[in-house]
Amino acid sequence: MAKNVLVLKHFESPKEAGTYFRLVCLTGGSKGESYILSSNRIVIGRGDKVDIKLNDTKASREHAEVTKVGANWVVTDLGSQNGIMVNDKKTTQAQLSEGDKLIVGQTVFKFAKVEVSSKPKSSSREKEESDAPTAGKKSMLPIFIMVGIIMYFFLFDDSSTSKPAKEKTKPSGVYQDASNDYLSQLKKRQANEDKAVKEKLNIIYQRGLREFREGNYYRAIAEFNLALIISPGDPYAEFHLRKTKEKLDKSIEEYTIQAQRDEGALKFQSSIVSYCSIIRLLYTVPEDPRYKNAEKMIKDLEEKIGLDPDATNCLKKPRTDQPVDG
């Protein structure tokens, strides 16, 4: 951050004279901070490698970038989940003007221009001249008169004033073309990045749905969590993650009820089969209390029907050519 932005308080200005552009934070924990844009590309987001870091859960890790294009500054959305807004209008890219309001996630910035003028410095020579006798001051009078004459001819000579006026009216078509080409390349690069992210997410979605259909709910949960890491707040991933967790909880509840019913009917082997189904659903999280309870109940049932301790191997695929009840 130190290299690309200078962080000041809202009413502070850089010490050196010049023209600066800044983003003033108007909301959140960084309210009142002013970010002087010191580089041609500034990245905004909640990640650790950005230039302006936000404590904002609605912001992506690399949410947006502010890029200098010639004499202008352009803000571009970097494929974030919640997008950006300029002056209350959602956009993917916009040129910033003095006073524009930029919204990233839930954080509001104001784009502003700062002019810092040079400050006059007093010198020891000026002090000596102020303390000098009146006669010494009079000796400088001819020099002042000569300087005044030179400045008169410089300021009012037609040839000296006409040339700068003409230079200001030079066409900037070539410069404008260069800026447009840069913006075109920027949009193309962003479109390629968005396409690559969407393709990757689609592959993860398909894996998660396949695991869900096969009853491997914890594997499906892992896939949908991965999708949310790549695209925080993704509604499709959040929906299927919630549905998978609900399906997992419902399945465990049904197996538990069936196991208890079979045990009450003295169908101990069938009860073990139901508890084994719970073990297989939760085998990746043996610390889960439901896994531990199923494990304990299997040991109790083994003791009741005279089986050796740990005789039941739930993670081994059961045979279908034998009856399940003894």
Side-chain angles (χ1 to χ4, degrees):
M1 182 185 290
K3 294 181 180 179
N4 294 334
V5 295
L6 174 64
V7 184
L8 301 173
K9 294 298 180 183
H10 187 181
F11 297 104
E12 290 182 340
S13 297
K15 296 181 180 180
E16 296 183 2
T19 301
Y20 299 89
F21 293 89
R22 68 182 177 179
L23 289 171
V24 181
C25 186
L26 304 181
T27 62
S30 301
K31 180 179 179 180
E33 289 190 349
S34 174
Y35 301 93
I36 303 296
L37 309 183
S38 305
S39 175
N40 290 335
R41 181 175 184 264
I42 309 298
V43 178
I44 307 171
R46 61 181 177 84
D48 294 329
K49 297 182 181 180
V50 299
D51 303 301
I52 299 178
K53 185 174 181 179
L54 305 180
N55 185 14
D56 186 340
T57 57
K58 295 295 183 181
S60 299
R61 286 175 172 78
E62 291 189 358
H63 196 111
E65 67 176 8
V66 180
T67 311
K68 189 174 184 183
V69 182
N72 301 315
W73 289 90
V74 176
V75 61
T76 304
D77 180 34
L78 295 178
S80 64
Q81 177 61 35
N82 296 311
I84 61 174
M85 298 181 71
V86 176
N87 295 330
D88 299 323
K89 182 178 180 182
K90 193 162 185 177
T91 182
T92 56
Q93 189 174 71
Q95 180 174 310
L96 295 174
S97 301
E98 174 76 16
D100 279 351
K101 183 170 67 174
L102 169 63
I103 302 177
V104 178
Q106 292 181 323
T107 306
V108 182
F109 294 95
K110 179 182 177 182
F111 181 75
K113 181 179 179 181
V114 183
E115 296 282 357
V116 181
S117 58
S118 58
K119 298 179 181 179
K121 297 181 180 179
S122 60
S123 63
S124 58
R125 180 178 179 82
E126 290 175 343
K127 186 175 180 181
E128 290 174 1
E129 288 179 352
S130 64
D131 296 338
T134 306
K137 291 183 179 179
K138 289 182 179 179
S139 64
M140 299 293 292
L141 185 59
I143 297 176
F144 292 145
I145 293 173
M146 183 63 68
V147 171
I149 293 171
I150 294 172
M151 290 182 66
Y152 176 84
F153 282 103
F154 177 76
L155 293 174
F156 295 97
D157 181 57
D158 292 338
S159 62
S160 65
T161 57
S162 60
K163 187 175 180 180
K166 290 180 181 179
E167 289 178 352
K168 291 180 180 179
T169 59
K170 284 183 179 180
S172 58
V174 176
Y175 171 81
Q176 187 64 32
D177 290 343
S179 298
N180 291 338
D181 182 64
Y182 176 81
L183 290 175
S184 176
Q185 293 295 326
L186 198 64
K187 290 180 180 179
K188 185 176 180 181
R189 184 190 72 184
Q190 187 61 50
N192 290 336
E193 290 177 355
D194 290 344
K195 183 179 179 182
V197 170
K198 289 178 180 178
E199 289 177 351
K200 188 172 183 180
L201 285 173
N202 187 54
I203 293 172
I204 295 172
Y205 294 150
Q206 296 304 319
R207 289 203 305 254
L209 292 173
R210 183 175 64 251
E211 297 293 354
F212 178 86
R213 288 192 299 268
E214 294 177 359
N216 301 321
Y217 300 123
Y218 257 99
R219 290 182 182 178
I221 288 171
E223 294 293 346
F224 295 131
N225 277 327
L226 177 59
L228 288 172
I229 292 173
I230 296 174
S231 179
D234 183 87
Y236 190 83
E238 287 183 341
F239 171 79
H240 284 289
L241 178 62
R242 184 175 67 255
K243 298 299 289 184
T244 304
K245 288 181 177 179
E246 290 174 356
K247 183 64 175 176
L248 173 65
D249 292 341
K250 186 177 180 181
S251 297
I252 292 174
E253 182 181 359
E254 290 175 350
Y255 281 128
T256 301
I257 293 172
Q258 183 62 45
Q260 291 172 349
R261 185 183 295 120
D262 287 338
E263 184 179 0
L266 303 180
K267 297 179 180 180
F268 300 130
Q269 192 66 39
S270 294
S271 181
I272 290 176
V273 170
S274 295
Y275 283 122
C276 271
S277 297
I278 297 175
I279 293 290
R280 282 192 289 271
L281 284 173
L282 299 173
Y283 78 96
T284 58
V285 281
E287 68 278 5
D288 190 299
R290 295 170 296 183
Y291 181 100
K292 292 182 180 296
N293 178 67
E295 206 172 36
K296 178 179 180 300
M297 294 305 299
I298 290 172
K299 288 181 179 179
D300 292 344
L301 290 168
E302 286 176 338
E303 186 176 348
K304 284 183 179 181
I305 59 179
L307 294 177
D308 294 333
D310 299 324
T312 304
N313 185 357
C314 293
L315 298 181
K316 183 178 180 181
K317 191 173 181 180
R319 295 177 59 182
T320 58
D321 58 348
Q322 292 181 354
V324 293
D325 280 322

